[in-house]
Amino acid sequence: MITLDITISLDGYVAGPHPTLEAPLGEGAMGLHEWLFAAASWRSRHGHEGGEATADSDVYEEMVSATGAQIMGRRMFSGGAGPWESDPNAGGWWGDDPPFGIPVFVLTHHEREPLVLGTTTFTFVTGGIEQALTLAREAAGGRNVAIAGGASAAQQFLGAGLVDELQLHIAPVLLGAGLPLFGGVGPLELEPLRVLDSPRASHLRYRVSR
């Protein structure tokens, strides 16, 4: 199954305006992910103690346990867009030991050899979303392929009808501007599957009709 799990603001943005290397989510957008940073399951998988054993924690653990490979856009990987040799963040955001632990396929226009960091291998795909999906399915071992983001990658997969389930984590934040999730996607038919609430977010799961 191909899934898209993504956090959005109440007004539909996945990131705020004016992202930088110091603030990759843009202005005012860190509050989008407070539900995640406080979750006990997220903290445990990222080497931190404590956290809250809430619906947020259960949702994150469920998603990670079911996922065998991820696909992400170049900007989600490093924030860059041009040739790799000119990217000041070419190693990605996560240091020498990223938390994924599964194969990750990065959509890019610029060729690059695979990058192995810790238990995660990043493969850079220049053939578009269909090629990335073929590779990810082979690597997932029968588990889900997750479209990790960002907005452009999510829009491409939704627009092509290549998402089976969409789970929105709606944070109680209004950004007013930034990167909208559904910009240019067109009409979608969504079948509600589940609603979970916590003080930090609402988690809405849908089946995407083709």
Side-chain angles (χ1 to χ4, degrees):
M1 183 165 63
I2 307 164
T3 65
L4 171 59
D5 277 78
I6 196 162
T7 299
I8 65 172
S9 64
L10 280 173
D11 47 353
Y13 294 99
V14 299
H18 312 303
T20 65
L21 286 178
E22 293 73 29
L25 292 176
E27 295 176 0
M30 283 302 293
L32 289 177
H33 299 284
E34 286 186 3
W35 73 270
L36 191 59
F37 301 148
S41 59
W42 185 90
R43 295 186 63 80
S44 175
R45 287 184 176 271
H46 288 73
H48 304 300
E49 296 182 354
E52 302 170 356
T54 61
D56 301 331
S57 184
D58 294 341
V59 164
Y60 176 75
E61 183 61 32
E62 177 185 68
M63 176 194 66
V64 172
S65 298
T67 300
Q70 290 194 9
I71 299 172
M72 68 175 61
R74 165 73 182 275
R75 289 192 180 277
M76 180 172 176
F77 175 78
S78 73
W84 288 103
E85 56 267 24
S86 63
D87 188 338
N89 195 35
W93 300 108
W94 303 279
D96 294 333
D97 191 17
F100 302 102
I102 56 175
V104 177
F105 297 86
V106 181
L107 299 166
T108 177
H109 295 296
H110 301 273
E111 293 186 356
R112 181 180 180 181
E113 291 298 313
L115 176 65
V116 180
L117 295 171
T119 59
T120 301
T121 297
F122 295 95
T123 299
F124 302 93
V125 182
T126 58
I129 61 174
E130 290 84 2
Q131 182 188 25
L133 184 55
T134 297
L135 295 171
R137 277 175 163 159
E138 293 173 354
R143 297 160 73 195
N144 292 346
V145 173
I147 313 306
S152 177
Q155 290 164 4
Q156 289 180 64
F157 278 93
L158 286 170
L162 294 177
V163 175
D164 297 309
E165 286 192 2
L166 167 65
Q167 185 161 229
L168 300 176
H169 312 289
I170 303 177
V173 174
L174 290 170
L175 293 178
L179 293 175
L181 175 59
F182 296 113
V185 170
L188 292 174
E189 293 186 15
L190 304 176
E191 176 188 346
L193 297 177
R194 186 177 72 181
V195 177
L196 294 175
D197 289 312
S198 82
R200 298 183 185 271
S202 296
H203 309 281
L204 313 181
R205 180 186 286 177
Y206 301 94
R207 180 177 293 114
V208 183
S209 301
R210 290 180 169 84

